[in-house]
Amino acid sequence: MAYTGLAHVVGAKYSESQNGIQYSDGFRYGSAVRIRIDPKYEDVSEYGDINSEDEEEMFAYASVTLETAEVTQAAEKVVFGHVTSENGSVSNEMDFSGYIGLGARVREKRNGKTHYVAVWLYKIRLTEDEQDIETRGNSLKYTTMQATGKAVPAYGGQWRRKEKFNTMQEADSWLEEMAGIGKEE
């Protein structure tokens, strides 16, 4: 199995209640470059039991690094809490990164057949990383926007979901449905 072709990064504001998880303010994040999801586990073996031979581990969180060619105004507002306008955004010391749901599509090639896998992280908080902007004489140097964060278990314990589709349109539609994009309110 090989994953290629990361695309269609979407997200939505996360909230939970007694009824479960809700997403609102769905948005498209920006053109995807790379996403790294690195699950971390903690040892939950019985402490001090010298007779225990089995180590037990439990999901704690996943470190996530998202690299995109740009960040949309909607993403800046929902993800980072910036004030946005049609032409830009303002970052303030009091801006707060809240929890969001985040998804992306990748192409999977297995046994000569192509599928599209939609990956959804139920509850994640991202913060902006440094930006490196420079001039390089007569040649162009492209830079990307990077955000890092932690995906944690959501209400009910889920932290990630993967769904396989035959077409990229089906995968994109599923992701947009998860984020509530295009849903009438």
Side-chain angles (χ1 to χ4, degrees), residues 1 12 16 19 24 27 30 41 46 75 78 80 93-94 98 107 109 127 129 146 148 150 153-154 167 169 178:
M1 157 181 63
E16 58 188 49
N19 299 329
S24 59
F27 59 88
Y41 297 88
E46 298 218 12
V78 176
F80 306 118
E93 67 180 324
M94 300 302 285
R107 185 173 45 244
K109 193 118 181 172
T127 56
D129 280 355
Q146 188 169 303
T148 56
K150 286 184 178 182
T167 68
Q169 292 81 9
M178 289 296 289

Side-chain angles (χ1 to χ4, degrees), residues 9-25:
V9 180
V10 299
K13 185 177 179 179
Y14 173 93
S15 63
E16 58 188 49
S17 69
Q18 293 175 340
N19 299 329
I21 300 168
Q22 288 90 33
Y23 295 104
S24 59
D25 301 330

